[in-house]
Every structure is written in structure tokens, then in C-alpha cells.
């Protein structure tokens, strides 16, 4: 299995440094970009906490973006992708030795969308002959918990999984779709805190389904 299959986890969740082979300086660089949530659950919060939450709602950095109806197109030499307004490339986070092509986040860094590519020619002597084979490969190699079966929605085959970031203490959830261009297989992923993932899933499908390769 190529190292990119594990590096992508590090890029999205900045965990398992030893397993992923990612430098601590890179993880430190990424960790302050990831969404976090209060260590208190709703049940644990006191009335004072809840009052403070109400007062801070307007300034909460991790509220959902409300202007999701407006869209913009981001473009590289390899693809173009339609995203909600405010989403932008954050490719400065990509490690030098990674096959990750692009990282996109929203304006509040609530989510990360990642596009990773691998040359089709690299799989000529393997059992991977189709994009479905490639998706199955990633499904079987998913390093997380609650890995779903491969399902289909809006014409896209996908699976989800969860991963606990033990360093940060948060659980994240990811949606994975695979695609094929003329020369590469692509892994398209969207991830967010598990607690807010459901709010973003439809947006992830819209974003990942919009990818057009050149």
C-alpha cells in the first residue's frame, strides 16, 4: 500500500504521527486549522455555560456557514470544482512528499476537502483495474472505526468512517469517493467533526460530485 493512503489521514486529521510518518512540525501546522469543539457535552454544561453559549453564538468560529447558496469555481491544471462561496485552497498544508493534489477548506476552517491522485500506471500489476476496484482498495484499508459499507447516493459510490484524534480528543467523520481521470485515480474526501458531519454531508456530496477533470 502506498504511503499516500496513510498520509491522507494525517493531512485531514493530523493524528497517528508514527503510523502516518508525518513530521510533528507538519502536524503542529495543521492542528490549529482543524475544527474543535467544547470538551463539555450539552448534558455536562451548566446553566451558566449555556447562557454564555447563547451570548457567543454570533461570534462562534465554528458555526455553519449560512451563505451556502452562493457558489464559486476553484480551478487547477487538473480539475475544476464548484464549492460554496468562501471555500478556498489551503495547499500550503500539503507535505512535499505527498501525492495530495489539493486541500480546500471553508472560510471558518470547519471542514477539509482533500483531493489525492495516484497514477493509473502504478496499479498495472495489481488487482486494481477499475475505479470501483480502487474504491474497494481504500475501503478495505480505511484506518478508522464505524467504516460503512460501500453505498451509492446521487449516483456516487462512497463510504464513510470515523477516526478519534487522541491528541486533540475529538472524533472526526469522513466521506470518501473515488474517481478516474485519463491518467490518474483520485480519492476525494470531505471531513468534519463527527458532531457536525450530518450538517455537511449533502455539501460534501455536492462538492465532490462537481469535480470535472481536464
Amino acid at each position: 500500500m502506498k504511503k499516500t493512503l496513510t498520509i491522507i489521514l494525517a493531512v485531514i486529521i493530523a493524528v497517528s504521527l508514527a503510523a502516518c510518518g508525518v513530521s510533528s512540525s507538519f502536524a503542529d501546522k495543521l492542528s490549529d486549522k482543524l475544527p474543535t469543539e467544547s470538551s463539555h457535552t450539552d448534558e455536562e454544561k451548566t446553566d451558566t455555560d449555556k447562557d454564555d453559549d447563547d451570548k457567543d453564538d454570533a461570534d462562534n468560529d465554528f458555526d455553519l456557514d449560512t451563505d451556502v447558496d452562493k457558489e464559486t469555481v476553484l480551478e487547477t491544471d487538473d480539475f475544476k470544482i464548484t464549492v460554496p462561496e468562501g471555500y478556498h485552497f489551503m495547499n500550503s498544508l500539503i507535505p512535499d512528499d505527498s501525492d495530495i493534489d489539493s486541500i480546500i477548506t471553508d472560510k471558518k476552517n470547519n471542514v477539509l476537502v482533500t483531493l489525492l491522485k495516484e497514477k493509473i500506471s502504478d496499479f498495472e500489476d495489481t488487482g486494481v483495474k477499475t475505479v470501483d476496484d480502487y474504491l474497494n482498495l481504500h475501503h478495505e484499508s480505511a484506518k478508522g472505526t464505524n467504516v460503512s459499507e460501500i453505498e451509492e447516493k446521487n449516483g456516487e459510490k462512497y463510504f464513510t468512517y470515523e477516526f478519534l484524534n487522541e491528541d486533540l480528543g475529538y472524533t472526526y467523520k469522513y466521506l470518501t469517493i473515488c474517481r478516474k481521470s485519463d491518467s490518474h485515480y483520485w480519492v476525494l474526501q470531505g471531513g468534519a467533526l463527527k458532531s457536525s458531519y450530518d450538517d455537511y454531508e449533502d455539501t460534501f456530496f455536492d462538492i465532490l460530485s462537481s469535480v470535472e477533470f481536464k
Side-chain angles (χ1 to χ4, degrees):
M1 185 65 60
K2 293 188 65 176
K3 62 185 177 182
T4 48
L5 302 186
T6 53
I7 287 179
I8 191 170
L9 292 172
V11 170
I12 297 179
I13 54 183
V15 298
S16 301
L17 300 183
C20 296
V22 178
S23 68
S24 58
S25 60
F26 169 70
D28 291 342
K29 183 179 180 182
L30 177 61
S31 62
D32 63 359
K33 303 294 185 184
L34 290 168
T36 57
E37 60 188 351
S38 170
S39 58
H40 297 294
T41 63
D42 289 340
E43 291 77 14
E44 293 172 332
K45 288 181 180 179
T46 64
D47 290 338
T48 301
D49 291 332
K50 292 179 179 179
D51 288 342
D52 289 341
D53 285 348
D54 291 339
K55 293 175 184 177
D56 293 340
D57 273 349
D59 298 320
N60 187 345
D61 285 342
F62 303 111
D63 285 345
L64 288 173
D65 290 330
T66 55
D67 200 13
V68 295
D69 291 334
K70 294 184 179 180
E71 295 180 332
T72 188
V73 175
L74 302 179
E75 194 164 356
T76 72
D77 290 341
D78 292 319
F79 67 85
K80 60 181 180 179
I81 184 171
T82 302
V83 296
E85 189 174 76
Y87 280 56
H88 57 279
F89 286 117
M90 195 176 283
N91 290 342
S92 60
L93 296 177
I94 300 175
D96 292 337
D97 59 350
S98 171
D99 287 333
I100 293 167
D101 183 271
S102 298
I103 294 175
I104 297 168
T105 186
D106 64 347
K107 61 187 176 183
K108 295 181 180 178
N109 298 322
N110 288 346
V111 302
L112 287 178
V113 174
T114 304
L115 297 92
L116 176 150
K117 65 180 180 182
E118 295 185 280
K119 291 181 180 178
I120 293 174
S121 58
D122 290 343
F123 295 87
E124 287 180 353
D125 297 326
T126 72
V128 176
K129 305 300 181 184
T130 67
V131 69
D132 284 347
D133 293 336
Y134 188 64
L135 179 63
N136 287 331
L137 180 67
H138 281 270
H139 181 253
E140 293 168 2
S141 306
K143 296 182 181 299
T145 59
N146 296 324
V147 181
S148 75
E149 296 297 321
I150 294 177
E151 303 177 57
E152 188 167 346
K153 180 178 178 179
N154 300 339
E156 296 283 359
K157 292 183 179 179
Y158 73 98
F159 67 92
T160 63
Y161 64 90
E162 297 171 9
F163 202 103
L164 170 64
N165 183 327
E166 295 181 355
D167 293 332
L168 298 178
Y170 308 119
T171 298
Y172 298 86
K173 187 171 181 179
Y174 307 95
L175 170 71
T176 300
I177 290 172
C178 291
R179 290 281 195 82
K180 182 181 179 181
S181 64
D182 289 341
S183 57
H184 290 82
Y185 287 119
W186 291 76
V187 182
L188 314 180
Q189 282 198 316
L193 284 166
K194 177 184 176 182
S195 59
S196 60
Y197 171 86
D198 288 346
D199 295 318
Y200 288 104
E201 184 175 83
D202 287 343
T203 299
F204 289 150
F205 273 111
D206 289 342
I207 292 173
L208 301 183
S209 297
S210 76
V211 173
E212 296 181 25
F213 297 112
K214 297 180 178 179

